[in-house]
C-alpha cells in the first residue's frame, strides 16, 4: 500500500476512474459546456494511461511523452472549436440544452 | 522505510485525492463555473501524477496548456456566452441519473477486470531516458511530421473558431 506509486496498476486504475467519471458526466450533464468538461476528463484518463505505460513498460520513455503532448495539442484545438461552436449554437437557439437543439440548419 | 519515502507516498495520495475530488466537482456540480473550476483542480492533480511518472516537462506543460489555456478558455466561454442569470442556475444535472450510473458502473467493471488480470511484459533494455534533450530530439526528428501536422491542425482550429465565434460566413 505504501509503495502504490511504483506500480503500473495504480495508474491504470486512476485513469480508469477518470474515464468512467467522464462517461458519467457526458450522460448526466444537461449542457454542452458540461459535456465538454467531461470530455476533457476522458482525454486526461487516456493521457495518464500513455504516461503509465511509458514509464513502466516501454523501452524508450520519450515516446509516451510525445504522445501525451500530441493529446494536449488535440485537446486544445478541440476545446477552441467546441467553445466557439457552443457560442454559435447558443446565439441561434438561445439555449445550451443538447436535447433542445434539433438541427443545425441555418 | 525512510521518512522521505513516506512523505513521497503521502504526497502521491494527496495528488490522487485532489484529482478525484476535482473530477467529482467537475461531473456533479450544479453550476457550470464550478464544473470548469473542478476540472482545473483535477488537471492540477493529474500534473502531480505526471511528476510521479517521471516527467517534469509534462507536469509543466499540463499546468501551462490545460490549466492555463483550456480551462481559462472554458471560463471565458461561459462568461461570454451566457447571461449572469443562466450562469447562476445553469447545468442542472437532474436527468438521466440511472442511465449515467448504469453506464459508468458497467464501463468500470468491464475495464477493471482486464486491468487487474493482465500482465504487461517489461522491455528488456532501455533505449532512451527521461531527459529533456532526448525528448526534444525524439519530437523534432522522429515525430517531426506529426509535430508539424499538429501545429497546422491547431492553426486551422483557431481560424475556424474565430470564424464560428464571429458569426459565420455571412457576417
Amino acid at each position: 500500500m505504501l509503495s502504490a506509486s511504483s506500480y503500473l496498476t495504480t495508474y491504470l486504475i486512476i485513469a480508469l476512474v477518470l474515464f468512467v467519471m467522464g462517461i458519467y458526466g457526458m450522460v448526466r450533464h444537461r449542457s454542452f459546456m458540461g459535456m465538454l468538461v467531461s470530455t476533457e476528463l476522458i482525454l486526461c484518463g487516456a493521457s495518464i494511461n500513455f504516461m503509465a505505460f511509458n514509464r513502466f513498460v516501454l523501452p524508450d520513455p520519450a515516446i509516451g511523452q510525445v504522445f501525451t503532448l500530441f493529446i494536449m495539442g488535440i485537446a486544445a484545438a478541440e476545446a477552441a472549436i467546441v467553445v466557439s461552436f457552443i457560442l454559435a449554437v447558443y446565439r441561434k437557439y438561445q439555449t445550451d440544452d443538447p436535447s433542445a437543439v434539433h438541427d443545425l440548419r441555418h | 522505510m525512510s521518512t522521505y519515502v513516506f512523505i513521497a507516498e503521502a504526497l502521491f495520495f494527496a495528488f490522487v485525492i485532489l484529482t478525484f475530488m476535482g473530477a467529482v466537482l467537475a461531473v456533479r456540480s450544479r453550476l457550470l463555473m464550478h464544473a470548469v473550476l473542478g476540472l482545473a483542480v483535477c488537471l492540477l492533480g493529474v500534473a502531480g501524477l505526471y511528476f510521479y511518472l517521471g516527467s517534469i516537462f509534462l507536469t509543466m506543460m499540463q499546468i501551462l496548456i490545460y490549466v492555463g489555456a483550456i480551462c481559462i478558455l472554458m471560463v471565458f466561454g461561459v462568461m461570454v456566452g451566457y447571461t449572469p442569470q443562466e450562469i447562476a442556475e445553469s447545468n442542472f444535472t437532474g436527468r438521466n441519473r440511472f442511465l449515467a450510473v448504469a453506464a459508468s458502473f458497467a464501463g468500470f467493471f468491464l475495464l477493471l477486470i482486464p486491468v487487474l488480470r493482465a500482465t504487461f511484459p517489461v522491455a528488456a533494455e532501455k533505449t532512451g531516458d527521461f531527459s529533456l534533450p532526448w525528448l526534444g530530439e525524439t519530437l523534432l526528428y522522429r515525430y517531426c511530421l506529426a509535430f508539424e501536422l499538429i501545429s497546422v491542425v491547431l492553426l486551422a482550429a483557431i481560424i475556424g473558431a474565430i470564424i464560428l465565434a464571429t458569426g459565420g460566413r455571412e457576417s
Side-chain angles (χ1 to χ4, degrees):
Chain A
M1 186 68 185
L2 270 173
S3 59
S5 67
S6 53
Y7 288 111
L8 174 60
T9 313
T10 312
Y11 296 97
L12 292 186
I13 290 176
I14 292 170
L16 175 59
V17 171
L18 273 187
F19 173 74
V20 165
M21 278 185 179
I23 296 279
Y24 180 88
M26 286 284 274
V27 179
R28 190 92 193 273
H29 271 304
R30 213 195 61 176
S31 62
F32 283 122
M33 196 62 88
M35 292 165 81
L36 176 63
V37 168
S38 307
T39 317
E40 298 293 338
L41 285 184
I42 294 177
L43 281 172
C44 230
S47 306
I48 291 178
N49 263 353
F50 272 109
M51 279 301 289
F53 283 114
N54 175 54
R55 161 85 171 73
F56 291 103
V57 177
L58 281 189
D60 186 353
I63 295 177
Q65 299 183 52
V66 169
F67 265 85
T68 309
L69 276 177
F70 287 162
I71 291 177
M72 280 182 197
I74 294 287
E78 170 246 357
I81 286 285
V82 172
V83 165
S84 63
F85 226 96
I86 291 170
L87 292 184
V89 167
Y90 186 83
R91 198 180 300 133
K92 179 161 167 54
Y93 290 93
Q94 297 299 318
T95 180
D96 192 24
D97 191 347
S99 63
V101 179
H102 297 297
D103 64 295
L104 285 175
R105 283 178 59 196
H106 207 48
Chain B
M1 174 181 289
S2 70
T3 316
Y4 295 116
V5 177
F6 181 77
I7 292 173
E9 285 300 314
L11 257 181
F12 175 74
F13 279 104
F15 280 129
V16 172
I17 289 170
L18 194 70
T19 306
F20 286 164
M21 288 293 163
V24 167
L25 189 61
V27 166
R28 284 200 52 101
S29 67
R30 213 175 122 267
L31 304 178
L32 267 183
M33 202 61 92
H34 290 182
V36 176
L37 295 179
L39 178 70
V41 171
C42 173
L43 295 173
L44 276 176
V46 172
L49 293 184
Y50 285 161
F51 181 76
Y52 275 84
L53 283 168
S55 178
I56 297 174
F57 177 66
L58 272 188
T59 306
M60 293 297 146
M61 282 298 116
Q62 174 87 1
I63 295 172
L64 268 179
I65 298 177
Y66 260 124
V67 184
I70 295 182
C71 286
I72 297 297
L73 177 72
M74 287 182 188
V75 169
F76 267 109
V78 172
M79 290 168 79
V80 170
Y82 302 75
T83 60
Q85 176 72 18
E86 281 161 342
I87 295 176
E89 54 191 39
S90 58
N91 200 22
F92 286 106
T93 55
R95 64 179 194 192
N96 288 338
R97 183 178 301 158
F98 297 110
L99 188 63
V101 171
S104 50
F105 267 91
F108 182 74
F109 288 110
L110 215 64
L111 289 170
L112 186 66
I113 295 165
V115 163
L116 290 180
R117 293 188 63 171
T119 53
F120 300 100
V122 180
E125 54 181 272
K126 294 276 182 188
T127 57
D129 51 22
F130 276 96
S131 67
L132 202 50
W134 177 246
L135 174 63
E137 206 166 295
T138 313
L139 191 60
L140 291 180
Y141 282 108
R142 191 168 166 190
Y143 293 102
C144 178
L145 181 65
F147 184 74
E148 292 299 327
L149 282 179
I150 287 279
S151 55
V152 172
V153 165
L154 205 52
L155 178 69
I158 290 170
I159 294 174
I162 292 171
I163 291 173
L164 272 175
T166 50
R169 277 172 295 186
E170 280 81 12
S171 60

